[in-house]
Amino acid sequence: MGADRKITFVLGLVAVAAVGVAIAAGRAGGPSGSAPRIAGGGVSATVDPGAVYDPIRAGETLPAGYRPLLGRDQIPPVYDPMFVSAADAGWDPETLVIGVAGEREAKAYPVGFLDRREMVIDSLDGAPILVSW
Amino acid sequence: MVHRRELDGEALVLGNQGALYLNAMTWWDHATGSIWSQPTGEAIAGPLTGSRLALVPSTLTTWAEWTTQHPDTVALDAPGRRLAVGLEMMAIVVDLGTEVVSYDVTVLRDAGVVDDVVAGIEIAVVVDPDDPNRWAVYSRRVGDAVVDLERAADGLVDRRTGTVFDPLRGIARSGLMAGRVLDRLPAFTMFPKDFERLFPDGRSWPEG
């Protein structure tokens, strides 16, 4: 592949990715639609898993019972969660949630959603927390 | 489960390692690439091996119950729908470091409360007989005293002082200790079968 074609190819990929992100962002509104969204305590910039130290690649011995199945972040965590008010959530009252409460704030994460994404990087009262399922 | 993702005052960003350990998920941290085990909160490989993330008290319950207890709660901007899994099928797990105990929700629901000692700490596990989605785990230490709680019509009663505590908020409503609050302890829920696999050395209540 020539350098020009390579660049065109990469730009094409970026365009496809941008459309994907736009669609995902539209969907992320979910039941709340245009309800005001509140930023959580995650991180906006993440790192490339391939650029970070990997104990397995480095030849470390893992404890017995360790079973690799997928690559890092193949099930992508929610690194930058957004929230809506309880009234705007529109959830079924019987929805199972993981709830955490601090001195100043309380947050709820629906288990059905966590089933698919497994991890949310967030904070509670300003302290960094990880919600996992 | 909810963990404090912080080590020596430094926040950690964790990702999904995509591997199982103790039949549960593992994480990788963006700074060092160490691999972490979810149920123990401990790094099992990499530079941070042996480090442990603290558990944060969390509650698995219904949206209706959570909003009743926390009207100002915010909700993750994601779809929420009814799940077939009910809490009565699960166990409440108390992990206090040197000892981990699983409590059968169905049995607890009949008893209302169980007084126990885990890792040397007097605790009480409380389940609402009318709705097993409502539960709490408390330390039974109130100042220098230790309360022995039993279920009564108007709440949880300390056998020694007659103090009546609100079962789900832990506040003493009347009696000698009125106004005092029981400290909540970290706990989480899991399927009894998972508990046996993840914590082979763990204790189960009731025994046998």
Side-chain angles (χ1 to χ4, degrees):
Chain A
M1 205 185 279
D4 282 356
R5 287 194 57 189
K6 201 179 242 171
I7 288 168
T8 310
F9 177 70
V10 169
L11 285 177
L13 277 185
V14 169
V16 168
V19 169
V21 167
I23 290 169
R27 277 197 193 136
S32 55
S34 59
R37 298 167 85 213
I38 307 148
V43 288
S44 49
T46 59
V47 299
D48 170 15
V52 177
Y53 174 77
D54 181 344
I56 295 161
R57 220 165 44 211
E60 285 192 39
T61 308
L62 273 288
Y66 178 84
R67 282 198 292 141
L69 297 171
L70 301 168
R72 285 181 167 177
D73 284 5
Q74 230 170 310
I75 297 172
V78 178
Y79 281 115
D80 194 9
M82 298 295 287
F83 292 83
V84 294
S85 70
D88 285 335
W91 293 344
D92 184 312
E94 293 303 308
T95 296
L96 211 52
V97 302
I98 290 182
V100 282
E103 296 284 321
R104 300 194 301 274
E105 56 182 357
K107 294 180 161 186
Y109 311 81
V111 166
F113 177 80
L114 292 176
D115 252 342
R116 298 202 305 277
R117 297 293 293 270
E118 298 191 349
M119 299 171 67
V120 180
I121 302 297
D122 201 3
S123 71
L124 183 72
D125 285 353
I129 61 167
L130 163 65
V131 180
S132 65
W133 176 256
Chain B
M1 296 173 80
V2 180
H3 288 82
R4 184 90 177 245
R5 52 177 182 90
E6 194 174 50
L7 219 50
D8 301 327
E10 289 287 317
L12 291 176
V13 179
L14 294 125
N16 196 324
Q17 175 70 11
L20 291 179
Y21 176 61
L22 303 174
N23 284 308
M25 76 184 301
T26 49
W27 312 316
W28 63 285
D29 75 77
H30 289 197
T32 74
S34 300
I35 299 173
W36 300 76
S37 161
Q38 181 201 33
T40 65
E42 200 174 316
I44 56 169
L48 296 179
T49 299
S51 301
R52 199 169 162 148
L53 302 183
L55 205 55
V56 175
S58 65
T59 306
L60 181 69
T61 188
T62 62
W63 177 232
E65 178 53 32
W66 181 254
T67 47
T68 303
Q69 287 192 18
H70 302 279
D72 295 332
T73 189
V74 293
L76 183 69
D77 191 16
R81 58 193 154 70
R82 184 188 291 256
L83 269 194
V85 177
L87 198 65
E88 63 273 14
M89 297 163 64
M90 306 188 76
I92 295 169
V93 177
V94 179
D95 180 1
L96 296 180
T98 54
E99 191 181 12
V100 52
V101 185
S102 144
Y103 298 88
D104 184 305
V105 171
T106 312
V107 181
L108 245 178
R109 190 179 179 177
D110 292 336
V113 59
V114 59
D115 291 340
D116 202 355
V117 179
V118 177
I121 297 168
E122 299 85 356
I123 71 156
V125 187
V126 180
V127 170
D128 186 338
D130 297 326
D131 180 359
N133 287 311
R134 297 153 61 104
W135 59 272
V137 178
Y138 299 111
S139 164
R140 289 189 285 123
R141 291 183 189 171
V142 182
D144 294 333
V146 174
V147 293
D148 281 326
L149 301 172
E150 63 185 11
R151 186 101 207 164
D154 51 348
L156 300 173
V157 179
D158 174 30
R159 289 188 193 100
R160 285 196 205 102
T161 64
T163 305
V164 180
F165 291 88
D166 181 298
L168 295 164
R169 289 179 179 79
I171 303 164
R173 286 192 295 230
S174 61
L176 212 58
M177 296 178 181
R180 302 296 293 267
V181 182
L182 300 173
D183 287 328
R184 275 189 101 115
L185 293 174
F188 51 94
T189 52
M190 60 169 58
F191 289 105
K193 278 195 168 158
D194 289 341
F195 178 80
E196 287 161 24
R197 277 205 305 268
L198 294 173
F199 301 102
D201 298 329
R203 172 161 65 89
S204 290
W205 180 93
E207 280 176 60

